[in-house]
Amino acid sequence: MSSNSAPKISKDKIQQLEGLAREARVKVIEIISHAGSGHPAGSLGMADIFVALYFEILKFQPNNPTWKNRDYLFLSNGHICPILYAVLNMTGFFPAIELNTLRKINSRLQGHPHYGSLPGVENTSGPLGQGISQAAGLALALKRDKKKNRVFCIMSDGEQQEGQVWETYQFINKYQLDNLTCVIDRNFIQIEGNTEKIMPLENLQEKIKSFGLKTYQINGHDFVEIIAIIKKAVNDNLPSVIIANTIPGKGVSFMENKSEWHGKAPNSEETVLALNELSTTK
Amino acid sequence: MNQNIFTSETAATRDGFGVGLVEVAQQDGKVFALCADLTESMRLDKFEQLFPNRFVQMGVAEQNMIGVAAGLALAGKTPFATSFAVFSPGRTLDQIRVSIAYSNLNVKIVGGHAGLSTGPDGATHQALEDIALMRTLPNMTVICPSDAQQAREATIALANHQGPAYLRLSRPKYPILKHQKPFKIGEAEILKEGNDLTLISCGDAIHDCLLATTALEKMKISAQVINLHTIKPIDKKALVQAANKTKRLITVEDHQVAGGLGSAVAEVLLPEINQSVTNELKFLMIGVGDAFGESGEESELKKKYKVDVQTIVINAKNLLISY
């Protein structure tokens, strides 16, 4: 496929993906509500990108999670694991009955993802800045072994405040890790409020570009754009970072763009409201 | 007596590491070496030359180095991530804890220039807490070899051992020791037999223990020396045997007393008193006592911070008199 031929995606396909994203958001609300704690805003905001990756981009075999030709998705901002768990369930890595064990004792669904606990979870993360280093190490090994697998790494925007992230950008550039595609959830919120107030990140794209990486910006809720740009980043064969502009809490109006929903579970009334909204939105 | 233990050849543990890593890398294509701008200091020059495709220069970025090592391990490699111990594990505890130990990945963390023996560089560069940091992490193996030959063997053993490990190395050259048996992870070694007391140590401090036994012999005190090169998993059986045999134990380390080798020995022996261990046990710990080091020559620092031969001798004598 040439890099400039944008793949056509049918309207039916888009509708199907939107339906899957809605289903994923419902699961996110249900499991965080059941757990009584967790991080809904980023999980909802990244639902479209996770659905696009797991249903359109990544190569994997749910029945054979360590398949040697698979693509890897590393989650660096581990706190949004509810959306990862939702999509891993929807693609068949583990049964739905386990979803409600999130954050409970003896569960494979840890509060932050743990490598080795749950099939499909490729890395351990939680403390920010670590997943991208792990992804870079894996990408380096695959590149030196001349293997074709792709590595994707999801990060948050607040995470860009960690120095380790910039150590890794230097490294990705030096070793030209063209098999690695990073996606930053640019939702402008972190625990205490707006990222630009807590510790300004702008101009984020220019900063990353100046580290020698190919950068893209996308609307993180537009499937046509998400899929086209991720595929372009993959086919361009350059180490790349995609800044995905998203709405934190997307799909649940009272959560949207509110930093207080970064790390708080909805109570039972809020859960009903949220689920009603998700079931009626088109 | 001691002439039988010391050979005439001297080298640093880091030298043995460099030799061992090249040796094992020749056999095993999975072995990688990562370095944070300290290739020569960590004795990786030859590795880089022979295996450029398995050498990774990280620059001065230790946190990323640990994450990259985790990623390499996830791809089935056996990475040795090296730096000075003050930087890694000193700076990289969180990355080691989460990206390596919790995931139980096959990464070897190598901390060089550990201890007061780093000398003139001063306190910032003298790692005195690395054993404590590493041995509190689940899944982690912790090894501090007594001499270059043992460092070589330990490196090869670690490459063939599945799981996270920390290898503590140091800068000064010491005589290579004649060992009683080949190195085996988790098996302490009695370097010298004795009846009145046991000195338990690791790394360069072993040499001070051996020298102390010579001085003690002149006072008709027969001291044995245990090389506890593996601090975790600890060889409880060997320690219990020594406790019951000599009834007086002294641990010696170029490290903080808090949380180090001595603490590890105390943790396994003290709960056993009146059970598998005699209630006559007398126990003393020699190490750095809640202080930072400073610039100076190794011998001056060991004397000032009381981890030298004389301190061992005085404490041994007092322990026997008070008994």
Side-chain angles (χ1 to χ4, degrees), chain B:
Chain B
M1 184 68 139
N2 283 341
Q3 293 89 298
N4 298 332
I5 299 173
F6 295 118
T7 70
S8 56
E9 197 189 337
T10 65
T13 53
R14 58 175 170 159
D15 299 319
F17 162 68
V19 171
L21 198 64
V22 165
E23 224 173 290
V24 75
Q26 269 155 348
Q27 309 295 320
D28 181 353
K30 299 192 300 298
V31 171
F32 268 62
L34 287 69
C35 186
D37 198 26
L38 291 167
T39 308
E40 193 272 331
S41 292
M42 293 306 295
R43 297 294 188 258
L44 290 172
D45 356 21
K46 191 144 183 233
F47 187 102
E48 181 183 16
Q49 211 182 344
L50 291 172
F51 314 106
N53 204 42
R54 289 190 266 147
F55 179 80
V56 190
Q57 174 58 264
M58 302 298 308
V60 195
E62 296 81 8
Q63 302 174 61
N64 182 46
M65 174 174 74
I66 296 301
V68 165
L72 288 166
L74 285 166
K77 309 299 182 191
T78 308
F80 283 72
T82 72
S83 186
F84 289 168
V86 283
F87 308 136
S88 181
R91 189 177 202 143
T92 55
L93 177 65
D94 179 27
Q95 285 77 14
I96 294 172
R97 178 178 178 269
V98 172
S99 290
I100 294 173
Y102 182 37
S103 296
N104 201 14
L105 295 181
N106 194 24
V107 176
K108 319 303 169 184
I109 296 123
V110 184
H113 282 45
L116 289 173
S117 66
T118 302
D121 279 342
T124 55
H125 283 53
Q126 295 160 350
L128 296 174
E129 52 291 295
D130 51 314
I131 293 174
L133 294 176
M134 289 298 96
R135 77 179 189 87
T136 51
L137 295 177
N139 297 329
M140 187 66 71
T141 292
V142 179
I143 290 174
C144 179
S146 62
D147 60 282
Q149 172 57 21
Q150 187 159 81
R152 176 188 149 267
E153 288 182 49
T155 303
I156 295 166
L158 282 176
N160 295 308
H161 162 90
Q162 188 68 31
Y166 174 55
L167 180 65
R168 183 186 217 229
L169 302 174
S170 57
R171 187 171 69 165
K173 289 183 175 180
Y174 276 94
I176 289 172
L177 302 175
K178 275 186 197 150
H179 293 281
Q180 307 301 310
K181 56 178 185 181
F183 174 87
K184 201 169 165 216
I185 295 171
E187 263 185 31
E189 170 192 31
I190 299 175
L191 267 175
K192 184 187 172 299
E193 295 275 359
N195 297 316
D196 299 327
L197 86 147
T198 306
L199 301 171
I200 303 164
S201 187
C202 67
D204 298 345
I206 286 278
H207 299 259
D208 299 319
C209 292
L210 290 168
L211 293 174
T213 62
T214 309
L216 289 167
E217 263 162 35
K218 288 177 188 150
M219 302 172 202
K220 306 272 183 264
I221 296 171
S222 158
Q224 68 174 6
V225 177
I226 290 184
N227 174 14
L228 192 65
H229 50 67
T230 307
I231 295 141
K232 187 185 175 187
I234 202 159
D235 189 345
K236 184 174 173 180
K237 197 175 144 207
L239 295 172
V240 168
Q241 269 173 7
N244 290 329
K245 180 185 173 190
T246 66
K247 300 187 177 62
R248 301 104 166 169
L249 302 185
I250 300 180
T251 60
V252 183
E253 59 196 305
D254 186 359
H255 184 276
Q256 299 287 355
V257 167
L261 166 140
S263 303
V265 172
E267 283 164 20
V268 294
L269 287 185
L270 301 193
E272 288 292 324
I273 289 178
N274 271 330
Q275 296 179 60
S276 68
V277 169
T278 169
N279 62 7
E280 295 170 71
L281 180 69
K282 299 278 175 187
F283 185 76
L284 252 177
M285 292 154 82
I286 294 175
V288 180
D290 200 24
F292 285 105
E294 64 184 79
S295 290
E297 292 306 318
E298 182 191 2
S299 57
E300 297 169 323
L301 289 162
K302 283 186 166 175
K303 192 174 174 198
K304 180 165 178 179
Y305 292 90
K306 298 203 179 337
V307 284
D308 61 335
V309 176
Q310 206 193 347
T311 304
I312 300 169
V313 172
I314 293 168
N315 277 285
K317 215 170 68 182
N318 291 344
L319 193 64
L320 280 157
I321 292 165
S322 70
Y323 182 58

Side-chain angles (χ1 to χ4, degrees), chain A residues 25 40-46 157 185-196 219-221 244-264 277:
Chain A
R25 287 187 168 99
S43 301
L44 294 170
M46 287 297 281
D157 52 359
D185 177 11
R186 185 65 172 124
N187 65 13
F188 281 87
I189 64 155
Q190 55 190 109
I191 294 177
E192 291 202 33
N194 187 293
T195 57
E196 300 317 287
N219 173 352
H221 304 302
N245 294 300
T246 68
I247 296 167
K250 171 77 175 172
V252 178
S253 58
F254 62 90
M255 290 185 177
E256 287 187 359
N257 292 310
K258 299 237 168 61
S259 63
E260 59 263 38
W261 287 102
H262 167 87
K264 184 175 81 164
E277 234 184 88

Side-chain angles (χ1 to χ4, degrees), chain A residues 70 72 74 110 112-115 117 122-128 130-142 144-147 162-164 167-168 170-171 174-175, chain B residues 32 51-77 91 93-105:
Chain A
R70 73 192 186 278
Y72 294 82
F74 277 37
Q110 288 296 298
H112 290 81
H114 176 227
Y115 172 76
S117 280
E122 298 279 11
N123 73 307
T124 298
S125 63
L128 296 172
Q130 296 198 30
I132 183 174
S133 289
Q134 299 165 8
L138 175 70
L140 179 76
L142 293 168
R144 288 199 172 172
D145 287 346
K146 302 195 172 16
K147 290 193 175 152
E162 289 279 10
Q164 185 175 354
E167 290 185 5
T168 314
Q170 295 180 105
F171 178 86
K174 177 184 173 186
Y175 289 100
Chain B
F32 268 62
F51 314 106
N53 204 42
R54 289 190 266 147
F55 179 80
V56 190
Q57 174 58 264
M58 302 298 308
V60 195
E62 296 81 8
Q63 302 174 61
N64 182 46
M65 174 174 74
I66 296 301
V68 165
L72 288 166
L74 285 166
K77 309 299 182 191
R91 189 177 202 143
L93 177 65
D94 179 27
Q95 285 77 14
I96 294 172
R97 178 178 178 269
V98 172
S99 290
I100 294 173
Y102 182 37
S103 296
N104 201 14
L105 295 181

